[in-house]
Amino acid sequence: MRTVRGWFRETTGGLPSTFWYLWVGTLINRLGSFVLIFLAIYLTTERGFSAFQAGLVLGAWGVGGAVGTMAGGVLADRWGRRPTLLTAHLGAATMMVALGLAHELRTVLGAALLLGLFAEAARPAFGAMVIDVVPARDRLRAFSLNYWAINLGFACAALLAGLAAEAGYLLLFVVDAATTLVTAVVVFVKVGETRTAVVAHPTTATGTRPGGLGTALRDRVFLVFVLLNLFNALIFLQHISMLPIAMGADGLPPASYGSVIALNGVLIVAGQLFVPRLIRGRSRSHVLALASAIVGIGFGLTAFADAAWFYAVTVLIWTLGEMLNSPSNSSLIAELSPADLRGRYQSVFSLSWQIAGASAPILGGLVRERLGDPVLWLGCAALGLLVAGAHLASGPARERRAATLRLATTPVTAPAVDAPPTVAAASAAAPAATTGPAAVAATAVGPAVGATPDGVPATAATEPLDAARR
């Protein structure tokens, strides 16, 4: 019992209260994420659209999401995290109801486009806000906890959505909008602005003068990292496009796919909170390489699967890779992002998922149709191993960039806009850790004891204010 209590304190203790309000908002929002699960079924059965028309609607959602991701990142840095997050949630709730009430195809397309825009605009602001308020050494735990909440909420939503759909599809849209509004209320009441004014040196760690979105798009080290995530996402997203088709071709009913894919959420909910302790102190490049290799191997084994139990084994394997990849990715984005451009860097990284979401089913379908299932799945394995090797090769450059960023930006104590003193002080005082992301810099007080996970020397920093630890 002592060991369990100690693990719980180690996993959840010491994180600032602002993070927990954001975490609660994430869980509430995901508990009501009904619409996307049943949207294709709703459009074809309730609205009578063809499969092609339903695909157009989903594509409009994706296009809006790509625009929203980029706009949300810019607004989070220029306007502020809090107003961007609130506007995005309020807009998403409004367009959710509008989509549920729309009937004509052009109206549905417009509502889906705007819903994708508002929904995805919240992501960069949320990610930047977590980086702002969580001390550098705790961010791996924080992102793991948030990822756990996302999967717990989504797993519950999948069950609740079926019950809500029986009462009427409009209820799906109303409940989804309501939970989004509740999240906005939590942010409005409990979360202050976290962006701090930053004074940067004339030349940034990327070798260019400080700028806007172009700085992220010219950052070669960061773009290589984004490109590797794009390739990894192309593999991973086959589970919602080609995997159900492959299982159907083996004579397995849709219910079997539902049961098999549910194992993904169950394993994440059961085991994700143990991941930070498992990978703590290990090389980030090695963890990301291992994750990519496991994901590739898991999907590659699908080439030999012909029964539900075999497919279940493949899902369990690539889910382990997903569990290692997600928190490591999130914490590394934090460390590679200059403090005054966190929103923009978050948006560029999120764009890789938007591109993969649009292209993964197209590429997977072309390969499967022209070359067959075995080539598709073994190709996923080969791509996963190539990405793993690329992570090992590019890791040292990323660590050098992270170390340079710790010295390239110096925060000032004054908040940028309307920041509550406790939040701003906590953000400004967050330390640069020796074994984690350190996008929030602090005053160096001497040589570090230890080094970053990839062996790059780090600098020690002052402890955060006690208020940030409560």
Side-chain angles (χ1 to χ4, degrees), residues 107-248:
T107 309
V108 172
L109 284 170
L113 178 74
L114 292 175
L115 177 57
L117 188 151
F118 282 114
E120 295 303 321
R123 294 184 186 274
F126 178 89
M129 189 170 276
V130 171
I131 298 170
D132 288 341
V133 303
V134 176
R137 63 172 175 268
D138 293 330
R139 289 198 193 116
L140 184 62
R141 291 192 297 124
F143 281 115
S144 293
L145 287 164
N146 191 66
Y147 186 61
W148 183 82
I150 288 172
N151 282 275
L152 176 62
F154 190 79
C156 294
L159 299 175
L160 296 174
L163 299 175
E166 292 181 1
Y169 277 103
L170 182 59
L171 185 60
L172 296 177
F173 294 90
V174 172
V175 173
D176 206 331
T179 56
T180 303
L181 283 176
V182 171
T183 302
V185 170
V186 172
V187 173
F188 180 77
V189 174
K190 292 295 185 180
V191 179
E193 177 57 63
T194 64
R195 181 171 59 105
T196 55
V198 176
V199 178
H201 294 288
T203 301
T204 67
T206 63
T208 62
R209 291 186 178 277
L213 187 60
T215 301
L217 296 176
R218 292 189 298 269
D219 187 342
R220 294 183 180 180
V221 172
F222 180 70
L223 289 181
V224 168
F225 177 60
V226 172
L227 184 62
L228 293 181
N229 183 74
L230 171 61
F231 289 144
N232 208 51
L234 288 174
I235 302 171
F236 177 72
L237 292 178
Q238 298 302 323
H239 81 281
I240 58 175
S241 55
M242 294 300 107
L243 182 59
I245 295 176
M247 293 183 66

Side-chain angles (χ1 to χ4, degrees), residues 423-451:
V423 176
S427 301
T434 60
T435 59
V440 178
T443 305
V445 295
V449 179

